Amino acid sequence: MPAVLPLTVLGVPVDLKFAGPRSAEAYDAFAPRWALCHRDNGATAERAVTVTLGGPDGGTNGGTNGGSNEDGTIGSDDLPLLLQLATQRVTYQAIHANIGSLLMFHAAAVCHPETGAALVAIAPGGTGKTTVCRTLGRGRGYLSDETVGVRGDNTIVPYPKPLSVRRTDWDAKDETDPRSIGLAAATVTPYVAAILLLARDDEHTGPARLEPLDLFDAIIGMTPETSSLSRLPRPLHRLEELVGGLPVVARAHYKEAASLEVFLGELIGDDR
Amino acid sequence: MSDQVRARRLPVADQLERDGEWLLLVEDRAVRVTGLAPVILAFADDWRTLDELVAELERVFGEAPGDDAAGLVCQALDELAAQGLLELDVP
């Protein structure tokens, strides 16, 4: 049983390390869920998260880690909780490493499997990102259900993490192997082709509706869902470059994610 | 607000201008300003008195409607200060 799961997260090498008496059980749980982020390069990563399932180190600590050459250490007797905590910690490390370079959104993204044209669906936590991936992702390239990183040339750094599927009891999520619900990683370089700001509403009736946004309204809607935006050089100009080059930036009003499918052909091209 | 108030623009992370409107980034929050506000912000690159601000706005927009130009400007200054875009010196 390897003690380390080497990952690439938003382009950043991060090692998941396993410790404690139940490390083999933990590894077996983590490995399939993180399979789409697996890193072939066996060199030790500067960034790591150490996971301890059960045992005397079962408490959670290391909450401030994020710097290089340091381990974040998390532990619990509760495997689903540990999986959830590890996703948060790994994501935090990758975001921290990309501050000032990548434009990062709280967003889901899927892309056309051949062209790489990607839909970026921006939304706060708990408002539909994972559901969009589960519903619209099959047959397309799965890029992320949580954090989308955009390079200066508007290509996307994939982060095909475990899907964080919310349970019926509040504040709990099941970390799910993307492949188990038919999602696959992109095999081409994805790029931003369309941006939707998700406005899911249980009271919405009728078909889904896209409300086009002008440049300023689009940026105002996007900025609350960015990470460390002001650490980028000329951040509003960067957003203007991104938004100004897109044919569609809109707020999506809908109830069920499946109702957005009808727009996908226009937004990123027909593929299935 | 006192007639002796002075105002000065605060730095922002970035700004865009389009069709007389400004979009300003304050920390990680984008704020759109329209109407009198872009002119006030452009002029208040250093401490400006209320009289100076009124004179500049009348130069750009013409005479204010009604007889309380200073009151209108004070209201705009309060809003801009609340958004973190101006600092006020109220003696």
Side-chain angles (χ1 to χ4, degrees):
Chain A
M1 190 281 303
V4 178
L5 199 56
L7 306 176
T8 299
V9 183
L10 283 173
V12 178
V14 179
D15 285 340
L16 265 178
K17 299 180 178 177
F18 299 92
R22 297 170 64 191
S23 59
E25 179 185 348
Y27 179 90
D28 289 343
F30 276 77
R33 290 170 168 85
W34 285 93
L36 299 186
C37 293
H38 182 77
R39 184 176 88 251
D40 289 329
N41 176 355
T44 301
E46 287 189 2
R47 294 175 183 272
V49 174
T50 298
V51 172
T52 302
L53 177 60
D57 299 323
T60 300
N61 57 45
T64 59
N65 178 66
S68 59
N69 298 313
E70 282 185 23
D71 273 0
T73 301
I74 53 175
S76 175
D77 291 325
D78 180 342
L79 179 58
L81 174 63
L82 199 56
L83 287 159
Q84 189 178 336
L85 291 172
T87 298
Q88 294 168 359
R89 190 63 54 82
V90 165
T91 302
Y92 174 83
Q93 292 221 10
I95 287 174
H96 187 87
N98 281 301
I99 288 174
S101 56
L102 286 184
L103 179 54
M104 292 179 282
F105 296 105
H106 302 139
V110 296
C111 74
H112 188 287
E114 294 167 5
T115 67
L119 167 67
V120 176
I122 296 175
T127 60
K129 295 191 295 293
T130 299
T131 304
V132 161
C133 291
R134 294 168 69 192
T135 308
L136 306 178
R138 277 186 287 275
R140 302 187 167 103
Y142 165 55
L143 304 176
S144 181
D145 74 336
E146 169 61 31
T147 303
V148 174
V150 183
R151 302 183 184 92
D153 63 359
N154 296 343
T155 58
I156 292 172
V157 185
Y159 179 24
K161 59 184 277 295
L163 284 137
S164 298
V165 180
R166 193 170 293 274
R167 288 187 230 151
T168 50
D169 48 335
W170 67 281
D171 205 29
K173 293 181 178 179
D174 284 323
E175 300 303 293
T176 304
D177 178 355
R179 300 169 304 172
S180 71
I181 56 169
L183 300 186
T187 55
V188 294
T189 302
Y191 66 93
V192 182
I195 293 176
L196 296 182
L197 306 183
L198 299 184
R200 183 173 60 80
D201 181 359
D202 284 337
E203 304 300 314
H204 182 85
T205 55
R209 179 172 62 86
L210 299 189
E211 171 198 358
L213 300 174
D214 73 12
L215 174 68
F216 282 8
D217 282 338
I219 292 176
I220 290 168
M222 293 160 74
T223 49
E225 303 310 326
T226 56
S227 293
S228 301
L229 177 65
S230 59
R231 300 280 296 275
L232 286 171
R234 305 183 80 212
L236 290 181
H237 287 77
R238 175 71 191 94
L239 285 172
E240 180 184 34
E241 288 166 8
L242 175 65
V243 171
L246 297 176
V248 179
V249 178
R251 183 170 282 114
H253 301 273
Y254 69 103
K255 181 177 180 182
E256 301 292 343
S259 66
L260 297 173
E261 176 68 45
V262 296
F263 301 113
L264 269 282
E266 174 196 351
L267 298 177
I268 63 172
D270 290 315
D271 52 40
R272 62 174 185 175
Chain B
M1 186 184 290
S2 162
D3 287 349
Q4 303 303 310
V5 65
R6 297 188 307 155
R8 182 171 66 174
R9 186 178 167 185
L10 289 169
V12 294
D14 198 8
Q15 74 179 61
L16 298 175
E17 301 178 23
R18 173 175 281 208
D19 301 329
E21 298 184 351
W22 286 16
L23 190 66
L24 304 156
L25 189 64
V26 184
E27 296 174 351
D28 280 339
R29 182 171 51 90
V31 180
R32 182 182 209 149
V33 296
T34 61
L36 302 182
V39 175
I40 292 172
L41 292 173
F43 186 60
D45 55 347
D46 200 351
W47 287 109
R48 305 294 183 190
T49 66
L50 185 58
D51 285 346
E52 290 172 326
L53 288 162
V54 170
E56 173 65 7
L57 288 163
E58 288 185 337
R59 185 187 70 77
V60 173
F61 294 114
E63 196 167 324
D67 56 358
D68 190 17
L72 291 174
V73 176
C74 285
Q75 185 180 342
L77 295 181
D78 277 339
E79 291 171 4
L80 290 169
Q83 291 172 314
L85 299 172
L86 272 183
E87 58 180 328
L88 301 179
D89 173 29
V90 184

